[in-house]
Amino acid sequence: MIKANNPELKSYLSVDKDSDFPIQNIPFGVFKTATQPARLCTRIGDHVIDLFSLNKLGFFIDLKIPASVFENDYINDFMALGKAQCRAVRDRISELLDNRKDKWNAHELTEHFIHNIKDVEILLPVKVTDYTDFYSSIEHATNVGTMFRGVENALKPNWRHLPVGYHGRASSIVVSGTPIKRPCGQQMPADATAPVYGPCRLLDFELEMAFIVGQATKQGEALSTKAAEDYIFGMVLFNDWSARDIQKWEYEPLGPFLGKSFASSISPWVVTLDALEHFRVPGPVQEPAVLPYLQYEGHRNLDIHLEVDIQTPEGVVQTVCRSNFKYMYWNMAQQLAHHTVNGCNLNVGDMCASGTISGKTPDSYGSMLEISWRGTKPVAMPDGTERKFIQDGDTVIMRGMSEKDGLRIGFGEVSGAIIPATPLVEV
Ligand code: CA
């Protein structure tokens, strides 16, 4: 077992029993204060732990990691140290903050490396080098396919044979809390004879999770499903904002473009694949059998409970979806094996999103497109209003956590509030 995952561990730092961040989590992120530049950190309860300071105090001295890795805008250089080093740092942090094994007496120095989360700014943790979006939930693909092509042709002939994906934009991935401006674009309204340009009217979220590549491959190398997880550093919650009207008009024949690229929001704490080890579950049976390079052994799905709230500007909240990452038809190892099977190389910082994570029942659908079934079944809000899609002023909040045998490991949340479209700056 990975040392830091030991469910018996208990920190001397206060942790709420409902916290997503017990000592067994130890995610990685980036923060800054009014007086300090960006530094890497972890989190226990609501305590933000400054890894640059821990390193400076000598707690990582035997690991021989340059200080610049920790005083850094992103965790990319840290991930690039490799899984063994990152695991050693996570284990060491765990020892330093455990109430029984703190042989370094770190608890006497906490004022030098601990901040209350309210006193710091949490930043985008990863310099995203490339972003790939998969389409790996069979329930989501079936729902969308049924809406647009009918139930007989819901899944395209390739769907059960390969994890369908497309290359998105890394430049517009933002951290939780960043306002999202309603995009403008070209649309073909149902009653129109020519396209129009204007603010998106069918703005949607997509409930997804994303994994982050922590190790590069060379061009010409293909990862096996067995090796693939060694290249995955960790995961975040991912809201892949979508402009359905722009998407519908533009997507044939080459797939999503401007209807997707204006923004995606991620949660700020990168939860390591190591920390999620305890929550592995079998995936769905894949029928027909997949090609040999996509076959895998062991449990590759993860039991992560997911939910989505819509909050109005007045603070009225409605939960619109409860789903689970374990529903994924294609797992992350298969996605990465497929991603590299043509020899395309991966970089540290590449982000791969799952695609919308829908379950079998309408209360588990991961987008408003499905929840409101193209706007035909509006969602009632507690204030008497209704939602078919997302309105200006609404905030969409996604949460995710795993729980088993009394141990809870979570991601916190990713939220984004919609601000009205404004004319773009022409330069
Ligand atoms: Ca997506």
Side-chain angles (χ1 to χ4, degrees):
M1 183 170 67
I2 295 162
K3 278 196 259 172
N5 289 359
N6 182 354
E8 304 295 317
L9 300 179
K10 206 169 165 356
S11 178
Y12 51 80
L13 298 173
S14 57
V15 183
D16 224 54
K17 73 170 174 37
D18 297 330
S19 174
D20 282 348
F21 305 99
I23 191 170
Q24 290 82 3
N25 191 336
I26 312 189
F28 292 94
V30 178
F31 80 109
K32 71 176 181 187
T33 68
T35 55
Q36 285 170 351
R39 291 175 173 181
L40 269 58
C41 59
T42 186
R43 172 177 181 176
I44 291 189
D46 287 335
H47 311 277
V48 171
I49 294 137
D50 176 346
L51 302 187
F52 175 78
S53 294
L54 281 183
N55 188 50
K56 201 171 162 193
L57 288 163
F59 291 124
F60 305 147
I61 192 161
D62 52 319
L63 303 175
K64 297 186 169 54
I65 301 170
S68 61
V69 168
F70 295 110
E71 194 156 77
N72 201 305
D73 290 342
Y74 301 107
I75 68 168
N76 294 48
D77 291 351
F78 176 68
M79 295 191 291
L81 296 173
K83 229 170 193 180
Q85 279 284 72
C86 295
R87 195 171 277 166
V89 170
R90 188 165 164 269
D91 283 347
R92 178 64 49 81
I93 296 167
S94 164
E95 288 177 27
L96 293 172
L97 298 165
D98 175 37
N99 62 2
R100 290 164 307 174
K101 283 195 292 187
D102 178 21
K103 62 186 180 201
W104 292 270
N105 291 327
H107 63 277
E108 291 174 3
L109 296 166
T110 53
E111 65 191 277
H112 298 288
F113 61 84
I114 291 186
H115 300 267
N116 189 301
I117 197 159
K118 291 194 204 81
D119 301 331
V120 305
E121 187 183 348
I122 306 294
L123 306 171
L124 183 73
V126 179
K127 172 78 180 167
V128 183
T129 39
D130 260 316
Y131 158 46
T132 301
D133 193 19
F134 284 99
Y135 189 58
S136 288
S137 155
I138 196 164
E139 289 82 8
H140 172 69
T142 303
N143 284 340
V144 175
T146 301
M147 268 180 244
F148 291 98
R149 290 185 295 275
V151 71
E152 297 301 309
N153 303 306
L155 292 184
K156 289 280 190 182
N158 60 4
W159 202 92
R160 288 174 187 269
H161 295 280
L162 56 86
V164 170
Y166 72 95
H167 292 292
R169 287 292 298 178
S171 63
S172 54
I173 294 178
V174 297
V175 73
S176 178
T178 307
I180 305 296
K181 188 185 286 188
R182 180 176 297 272
C184 292
Q186 197 179 124
Q187 305 144 38
M188 180 68 106
D191 48 0
T193 51
V196 296
Y197 173 85
C200 157
R201 293 175 305 166
L202 309 181
L203 183 59
D204 203 354
F205 60 80
E206 290 190 330
L207 170 63
E208 306 195 23
M209 299 208 63
F211 68 79
I212 297 148
V213 172
Q215 205 176 324
T217 62
K218 293 193 185 74
Q219 205 166 5
E221 286 179 350
L223 292 178
S224 66
T225 55
K226 193 166 191 290
E229 287 183 0
D230 293 338
Y231 289 74
I232 299 174
F233 178 81
M235 299 178 68
V236 291
L237 299 167
F238 194 97
N239 181 351
D240 195 23
W241 298 101
S242 298
R244 298 300 180 196
D245 35 13
I246 298 171
Q247 180 186 356
K248 183 166 183 270
W249 172 232
E250 74 177 0
Y251 87 102
E252 288 183 295
L254 292 185
F257 190 37
L258 304 185
K260 300 281 192 169
S261 64
F262 58 97
S264 303
S265 303
I266 65 167
S267 54
W269 300 102
V270 181
V271 176
T272 63
L273 214 51
D274 281 355
L276 296 163
E277 191 60 36
H278 196 51
F279 306 101
R280 288 180 179 273
V281 288
V285 175
Q286 296 180 327
E287 182 61 42
V290 297
L291 286 170
Y293 80 93
L294 288 168
Q295 290 167 10
Y296 66 95
E297 288 177 359
H299 293 175
R300 301 287 180 180
N301 279 44
L302 292 168
D303 184 4
I304 302 172
H305 303 275
L306 301 166
E307 59 177 44
V308 184
D309 287 352
I310 297 175
Q311 183 180 311
T312 70
E314 293 76 31
V316 174
V317 177
Q318 177 67 49
T319 301
V320 295
C321 164
R322 289 190 177 85
S323 187
N324 196 304
F325 188 58
K326 73 180 176 187
Y327 300 148
M328 301 309 295
Y329 188 86
W330 297 102
N331 61 54
M332 297 184 285
Q334 292 179 308
Q335 290 169 341
L336 215 42
H338 184 66
H339 208 308
T340 56
V341 77
N342 66 346
C344 176
N345 47 320
L346 301 170
N347 284 312
V348 173
D350 285 355
M351 193 169 275
C352 295
S354 56
T356 307
I357 305 160
S358 293
K360 289 191 192 319
T361 55
D363 59 345
S364 64
Y365 292 170
S367 66
M368 290 304 286
L369 177 69
E370 296 161 271
I371 295 166
S372 76
W373 208 258
R374 275 175 116 174
T376 61
K377 296 175 182 171
V379 174
M381 297 291 286
D383 61 0
T385 62
E386 54 182 38
R387 294 290 182 282
K388 296 173 180 171
F389 290 90
I390 305 302
Q391 298 182 358
D392 288 347
D394 286 349
T395 302
V396 176
I397 304 161
M398 297 176 176
R399 297 188 187 83
M401 64 95 179
S402 296
E403 201 162 28
K404 189 182 165 192
D405 305 328
L407 178 65
R408 173 176 173 148
I409 300 286
F411 290 79
E413 64 177 42
V414 54
S415 76
I418 300 301
I419 55 176
T422 52
L424 297 186
V425 183
E426 262 189 61
V427 290

